[in-house]
PDB file of all heavy atoms in Angstrom:
ATOM      1  N   GLN C 488     120.220  59.086  87.890  1.00 96.00           N
ATOM      2  CA  GLN C 488     120.490  57.739  88.404  1.00 96.00           C
ATOM      3  C   GLN C 488     121.391  56.951  87.449  1.00 96.00           C
ATOM      4  O   GLN C 488     122.269  56.198  87.880  1.00 96.00           O
ATOM      5  CB  GLN C 488     119.173  56.990  88.626  1.00 96.00           C
ATOM      6  CG  GLN C 488     119.378  55.645  89.327  1.00 96.00           C
ATOM      7  CD  GLN C 488     118.083  55.082  89.866  1.00 96.00           C
ATOM      8  OE1 GLN C 488     117.062  55.763  89.920  1.00 96.00           O
ATOM      9  NE2 GLN C 488     118.116  53.820  90.270  1.00 96.00           N
ATOM     10  N   THR C 489     121.178  57.133  86.162  1.00 96.00           N
ATOM     11  CA  THR C 489     122.014  56.434  85.183  1.00 96.00           C
ATOM     12  C   THR C 489     123.461  56.933  85.256  1.00 96.00           C
ATOM     13  O   THR C 489     124.416  56.143  85.156  1.00 96.00           O
ATOM     14  CB  THR C 489     121.442  56.633  83.765  1.00 96.00           C
ATOM     15  OG1 THR C 489     120.062  56.288  83.776  1.00 96.00           O
ATOM     16  CG2 THR C 489     122.153  55.745  82.759  1.00 96.00           C
ATOM     17  N   LEU C 490     123.625  58.240  85.439  1.00 95.00           N
ATOM     18  CA  LEU C 490     124.982  58.788  85.587  1.00 95.00           C
ATOM     19  C   LEU C 490     125.685  58.184  86.807  1.00 95.00           C
ATOM     20  O   LEU C 490     126.881  57.865  86.763  1.00 95.00           O
ATOM     21  CB  LEU C 490     124.911  60.316  85.722  1.00 95.00           C
ATOM     22  CG  LEU C 490     124.635  61.067  84.412  1.00 95.00           C
ATOM     23  CD1 LEU C 490     124.186  62.492  84.689  1.00 95.00           C
ATOM     24  CD2 LEU C 490     125.892  61.064  83.527  1.00 95.00           C
ATOM     25  N   LEU C 491     124.940  58.001  87.876  1.00 95.00           N
ATOM     26  CA  LEU C 491     125.542  57.420  89.084  1.00 95.00           C
ATOM     27  C   LEU C 491     125.906  55.949  88.869  1.00 95.00           C
ATOM     28  O   LEU C 491     126.911  55.461  89.397  1.00 95.00           O
ATOM     29  CB  LEU C 491     124.601  57.574  90.283  1.00 95.00           C
ATOM     30  CG  LEU C 491     124.400  59.014  90.762  1.00 95.00           C
ATOM     31  CD1 LEU C 491     123.446  59.058  91.955  1.00 95.00           C
ATOM     32  CD2 LEU C 491     125.729  59.655  91.145  1.00 95.00           C
ATOM     33  N   GLU C 492     125.064  55.244  88.103  1.00 94.00           N
ATOM     34  CA  GLU C 492     125.399  53.844  87.793  1.00 94.00           C
ATOM     35  C   GLU C 492     126.690  53.785  86.970  1.00 94.00           C
ATOM     36  O   GLU C 492     127.542  52.915  87.184  1.00 94.00           O
ATOM     37  CB  GLU C 492     124.254  53.179  87.032  1.00 94.00           C
ATOM     38  CG  GLU C 492     123.033  52.874  87.869  1.00 94.00           C
ATOM     39  CD  GLU C 492     123.330  51.914  89.016  1.00 94.00           C
ATOM     40  OE1 GLU C 492     124.277  51.104  88.915  1.00 94.00           O
ATOM     41  OE2 GLU C 492     122.608  51.984  90.031  1.00 94.00           O
ATOM     42  N   LYS C 493     126.808  54.698  86.020  1.00 92.00           N
ATOM     43  CA  LYS C 493     128.047  54.753  85.227  1.00 92.00           C
ATOM     44  C   LYS C 493     129.244  55.096  86.118  1.00 92.00           C
ATOM     45  O   LYS C 493     130.339  54.545  85.973  1.00 92.00           O
ATOM     46  CB  LYS C 493     127.924  55.815  84.114  1.00 92.00           C
ATOM     47  CG  LYS C 493     127.457  55.245  82.784  1.00 92.00           C
ATOM     48  CD  LYS C 493     127.523  56.282  81.690  1.00 92.00           C
ATOM     49  CE  LYS C 493     128.958  56.633  81.313  1.00 92.00           C
ATOM     50  NZ  LYS C 493     129.600  55.690  80.407  1.00 92.00           N
ATOM     51  N   TYR C 494     129.008  56.002  87.087  1.00 93.00           N
ATOM     52  CA  TYR C 494     130.096  56.419  87.983  1.00 93.00           C
ATOM     53  C   TYR C 494     130.588  55.230  88.829  1.00 93.00           C
ATOM     54  O   TYR C 494     131.788  55.093  89.083  1.00 93.00           O
ATOM     55  CB  TYR C 494     129.612  57.542  88.909  1.00 93.00           C
ATOM     56  CG  TYR C 494     130.631  57.957  89.933  1.00 93.00           C
ATOM     57  CD1 TYR C 494     131.665  58.845  89.606  1.00 93.00           C
ATOM     58  CD2 TYR C 494     130.593  57.436  91.234  1.00 93.00           C
ATOM     59  CE1 TYR C 494     132.616  59.204  90.547  1.00 93.00           C
ATOM     60  CE2 TYR C 494     131.539  57.792  92.175  1.00 93.00           C
ATOM     61  CZ  TYR C 494     132.545  58.683  91.826  1.00 93.00           C
ATOM     62  OH  TYR C 494     133.496  59.032  92.749  1.00 93.00           O
ATOM     63  N   ARG C 495     129.649  54.365  89.224  1.00 90.00           N
ATOM     64  CA  ARG C 495     130.045  53.209  90.045  1.00 90.00           C
ATOM     65  C   ARG C 495     131.028  52.311  89.285  1.00 90.00           C
ATOM     66  O   ARG C 495     131.942  51.750  89.867  1.00 90.00           O
ATOM     67  CB  ARG C 495     128.809  52.401  90.456  1.00 90.00           C
ATOM     68  CG  ARG C 495     127.982  53.076  91.532  1.00 90.00           C
ATOM     69  CD  ARG C 495     126.912  52.126  92.063  1.00 90.00           C
ATOM     70  NE  ARG C 495     126.205  52.707  93.188  1.00 90.00           N
ATOM     71  CZ  ARG C 495     125.053  53.369  93.104  1.00 90.00           C
ATOM     72  NH1 ARG C 495     124.481  53.525  91.922  1.00 90.00           N
ATOM     73  NH2 ARG C 495     124.469  53.873  94.167  1.00 90.00           N
ATOM     74  N   GLY C 496     130.816  52.183  87.986  1.00 87.00           N
ATOM     75  CA  GLY C 496     131.712  51.331  87.201  1.00 87.00           C
ATOM     76  C   GLY C 496     132.896  52.081  86.638  1.00 87.00           C
ATOM     77  O   GLY C 496     133.900  51.464  86.257  1.00 87.00           O
ATOM     78  N   GLN C 497     132.788  53.371  86.587  1.00 86.00           N
ATOM     79  CA  GLN C 497     133.809  54.188  85.944  1.00 86.00           C
ATOM     80  C   GLN C 497     133.879  55.534  86.686  1.00 86.00           C
ATOM     81  O   GLN C 497     133.330  56.531  86.236  1.00 86.00           O
ATOM     82  CB  GLN C 497     133.406  54.412  84.474  1.00 86.00           C
ATOM     83  CG  GLN C 497     134.462  55.037  83.612  1.00 86.00           C
ATOM     84  CD  GLN C 497     133.937  55.195  82.177  1.00 86.00           C
ATOM     85  OE1 GLN C 497     132.948  54.594  81.789  1.00 86.00           O
ATOM     86  NE2 GLN C 497     134.602  56.007  81.398  1.00 86.00           N
ATOM     87  N   PRO C 498     134.525  55.568  87.843  1.00 89.00           N
ATOM     88  CA  PRO C 498     134.473  56.757  88.709  1.00 89.00           C
ATOM     89  C   PRO C 498     135.171  57.987  88.135  1.00 89.00           C
ATOM     90  O   PRO C 498     136.361  58.218  88.371  1.00 89.00           O
ATOM     91  CB  PRO C 498     135.146  56.295  90.007  1.00 89.00           C
ATOM     92  CG  PRO C 498     135.726  54.970  89.757  1.00 89.00           C
ATOM     93  CD  PRO C 498     135.328  54.495  88.427  1.00 89.00           C
TER      94      PRO C 498
END
Side-chain angles (χ1 to χ4, degrees):
Q488 187 165 348
T489 308
L490 284 163
L491 292 180
E492 287 299 333
K493 266 187 70 81
Y494 175 82
R495 286 190 174 95
Q497 190 180 344

